[in-house]
């Protein structure tokens, strides 16, 4: 069955702050696992005296910042999710499309999906890849740690078959930590049972590569 990717969100914006306002830009989100990166590009020069800004009397500009570009595309069934920023690329694969229940042995459909991700790593010319495993909150936390790490290891081994031997890997298992959906429902737990593969990008979302 062919699935049709759907674009969930695409954002590109320049943020100009008036003095007295505050905003955190280019920092990791609260639900990002350790090791995730996000940094803003240098802001463009802005003429604080330009009449086009229409600043109220006495107002001054705070330093300009640029929000990261973020684009998210998810398969119709949600089995695979791709998130692009101007810093890195992250693929999230639901455990059901890679493994049998409570198993860390890759299933028949896993090889092609992982090979496609490896092709993107090679296209970006990335020499460092993060592979993180996650579970839902069913079962013990300790079992989740073991299973999530074993699944991350299995994906890394398959990725390595298609990547440069000099590629550096960061492999971790997080159990039920860092959920991306509500564990109170099976639909949410299914999204949380996943392996994420992320790597630095060499071109912006929508650009070459």
């Amino acid at each position: 069955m062919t699935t049709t990717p759907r674009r969930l969100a695409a954002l590109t914006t320049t943020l100009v702050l008036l003095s007295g306002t505050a905003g955190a830009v280019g920092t990791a989100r609260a639900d990002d696992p350790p090791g995730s990166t996000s940094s803003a590009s240098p802001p463009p020069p802005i003429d604080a005296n330009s009449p086009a800004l229409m600043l109220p009397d006495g107002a001054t500009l705070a330093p300009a910042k640029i929000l990261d570009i973020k684009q998210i595309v998810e398969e119709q069934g949600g089995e695979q999710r791709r998130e692009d920023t101007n810093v890195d690329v992250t693929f999230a694969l639901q455990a059901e499309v890679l493994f049998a229940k409570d198993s860390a042995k890759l299933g028949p459909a896993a090889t092609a999906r992982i090979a496609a991700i490896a092709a993107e790593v090679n296209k970006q010319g990335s020499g460092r890849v993060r592979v993180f495993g996650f579970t839902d909150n069913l079962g013990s936390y300790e079992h989740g740690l073991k299973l999530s790490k074993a699944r991350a290891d299995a994906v890394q081994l398959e990725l390595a078959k298609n990547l440069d031997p000099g590629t550096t890997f960061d492999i971790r298992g997080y159990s039920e930590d860092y959920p991306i959906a509500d564990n109170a429902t099976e639909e949410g737990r299914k999204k949380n049972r996943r392996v994420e593969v992320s790597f630095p990008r060499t071109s912006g979302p929508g650009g070459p590569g």
Side-chain angles (χ1 to χ4, degrees):
M1 181 178 65
T2 302
T3 57
T4 303
R6 64 181 179 213
R7 182 163 297 173
L8 298 184
L11 170 65
T12 174
T13 183
T14 300
L15 177 65
V16 179
L17 299 176
L18 294 176
S19 63
T21 63
V25 181
T27 57
R29 299 190 307 271
D31 60 349
D32 280 341
S36 296
T37 58
S38 180
S39 60
S41 303
I46 296 176
D47 181 5
N49 298 315
S50 172
L53 292 175
M54 295 184 291
L55 296 176
D57 290 341
T60 58
L61 285 178
K65 298 178 180 179
I66 296 181
L67 293 177
D68 280 345
I69 298 169
K70 180 175 294 186
Q71 178 175 292
I72 300 173
V73 179
E74 185 177 271
E75 286 187 3
Q76 195 108 31
E79 290 89 357
Q80 181 169 307
R81 182 175 185 265
R82 172 175 176 157
E83 179 178 309
D84 287 77
T85 74
N86 58 328
V87 176
D88 53 24
V89 181
T90 300
F91 286 90
L93 292 168
Q94 288 185 7
E96 277 78 356
V97 303
L98 299 175
F99 308 100
K101 184 177 180 180
D102 204 31
S103 170
K105 182 178 180 180
L106 292 170
T111 303
R113 287 184 178 270
I114 296 172
I117 294 175
E120 184 65 22
V121 177
N122 288 325
K123 186 187 297 184
Q124 292 294 335
S126 302
R128 186 177 189 89
V129 179
R130 299 187 300 270
V131 187
F132 296 159
F134 306 85
T135 62
D136 58 28
N137 66 347
L138 300 181
S140 71
Y141 184 82
E142 291 72 20
H143 178 71
L145 280 177
K146 182 178 179 181
L147 180 61
S148 58
K149 176 59 164 57
R151 285 176 167 177
D153 286 335
V155 171
Q156 181 271 328
L157 288 172
E158 188 64 30
L159 275 172
K161 295 177 182 178
N162 299 283
L163 298 180
D164 187 284
T167 302
T168 301
F169 290 92
D170 183 7
I171 312 163
R172 305 183 193 178
Y174 286 106
S175 189
E176 64 194 61
D177 292 338
Y178 308 105
I180 58 173
D182 189 353
N183 271 314
T185 68
E186 176 53 29
E187 181 181 1
R189 290 190 294 270
K190 186 176 181 180
K191 290 183 178 181
N192 291 332
R193 298 190 295 265
R194 68 198 190 278
V195 175
E196 293 185 359
V197 179
S198 58
F199 46 92
R201 66 177 308 115
T202 56
S203 62

